[in-house]
Amino acid sequence: MRVQINAANLNHGGAVAVAANFIENVPAVWDSMATAWITYLEILVSPRVAEEIDDLDLIRRLDRVDVVVSSSRLDLKSLLWSRPDFDVRFTIFGPEYLGRKAAHEVVGFADGTIVRAWHSPEPGTKEQTLQLPLRSRITGGAKRMLLARNYDTYVVQTSEMADSLRSLVPSRPVHVVPNVVSGVFTDPTRWSHVPLPDRQPQEIRLFYPARGYVHKNHSYLPLVSRAFEETFGIPLTFVTTLRSEEMQRIFPDPEPCIINVGEISRGQCAYLYEKTDALFFPSLNETFSSSPIEAMTIGKPVIALDLPFMNEMLGGNCWYVPAENAQLAAEVVWSVFNDQNSLSERTVQSQIWVQRFTSGSEQAFRYFSIMRDRVGTTNNRHS
């Protein structure tokens, strides 16, 4: 069977890390029962994903494997449509709406706005959804129609998202495969320095690695910072990873509480977890994030909105804040650092909790098994 893995559509943010984590673990499972059925594997990657993979040559040396690096979005379309037909194509992080190329299309589903905007908006998102421009709402509707047409099998991170997605594609299989933490985050020798300004006296510094999408809710940060400083008299700052154009759009006026370092690698991300006090994760709509479990792995507390995705991923090992009340959020942040005994105890509990997540090689095994079963199930049905 001919298989194509598509990570050429990924150029920014956590999606790059998701793809790199999976592709780096292909050698670990290449001679297993999960891959024995593959006669040829082509891995399409963007330059950014290729840059993030530790040893791309190791993957290139595998028998029956080719690695192709696309140079641009236009090149990606050309690559996808000029290649011979494949039996299975797995788009690691999608959906992509370029049409079908393989007999069986599998996608790592990561666009929660398609599902939740239509079915069950999470707290704090309904009003924003209704205020979307007409063009955006029409585009979302078109995407939902294409979702079932373009893909046969879906992979998500949580059972909550699986249930939501099944309501859109009830006749298609949806698999739950939790995210994993890259080995980079447990190996300080692979961390990369990022320059940061000196701290102010008593400053609490939180980290929020995220792109500048609307649902990431960056505008909430200054509100929480101001409420915190007014209430407790201590500066609260946030280290962000926005691109320059995102920074200008979200914060057109200078915000003293924002320390923006731009786009970062996994090694730099691990370093920034270590150099900050906690992960602050105010995203309103998540489907495919590894940031919370990365922070827990490094021993940092996680402060996040009280939403189903976070509840399932983190359980009680997280300090939850409301989506609409910056004052209450500030008080939660204060409570995290005001009781050192509780902080130490919950940090230990979090590091134990995060061990329940699968390893990178186990995740890769699951992904290939899903592709294998998709082909086998369909072939059996027609035999």
Side-chain angles (χ1 to χ4, degrees), residues 217-231:
N217 201 24
H218 282 85
S219 59
Y220 197 44
L221 306 183
L223 301 178
V224 177
S225 176
R226 284 193 282 272
F228 189 88
E229 190 156 3
E230 289 170 2
T231 304

Side-chain angles (χ1 to χ4, degrees), residues 95-114:
E96 276 287 296
Y97 298 99
L98 299 177
R100 298 180 66 96
K101 181 62 178 175
H104 306 284
E105 294 279 358
V106 182
V107 63
F109 182 81
D111 191 351
T113 60
I114 299 176

Side-chain angles (χ1 to χ4, degrees), residues 119-135:
H119 285 281
S120 54
E122 293 176 341
T125 64
K126 185 174 182 180
E127 184 177 351
Q128 290 187 0
T129 299
L130 295 176
Q131 291 176 350
L132 286 173
L134 177 61
R135 178 179 176 183

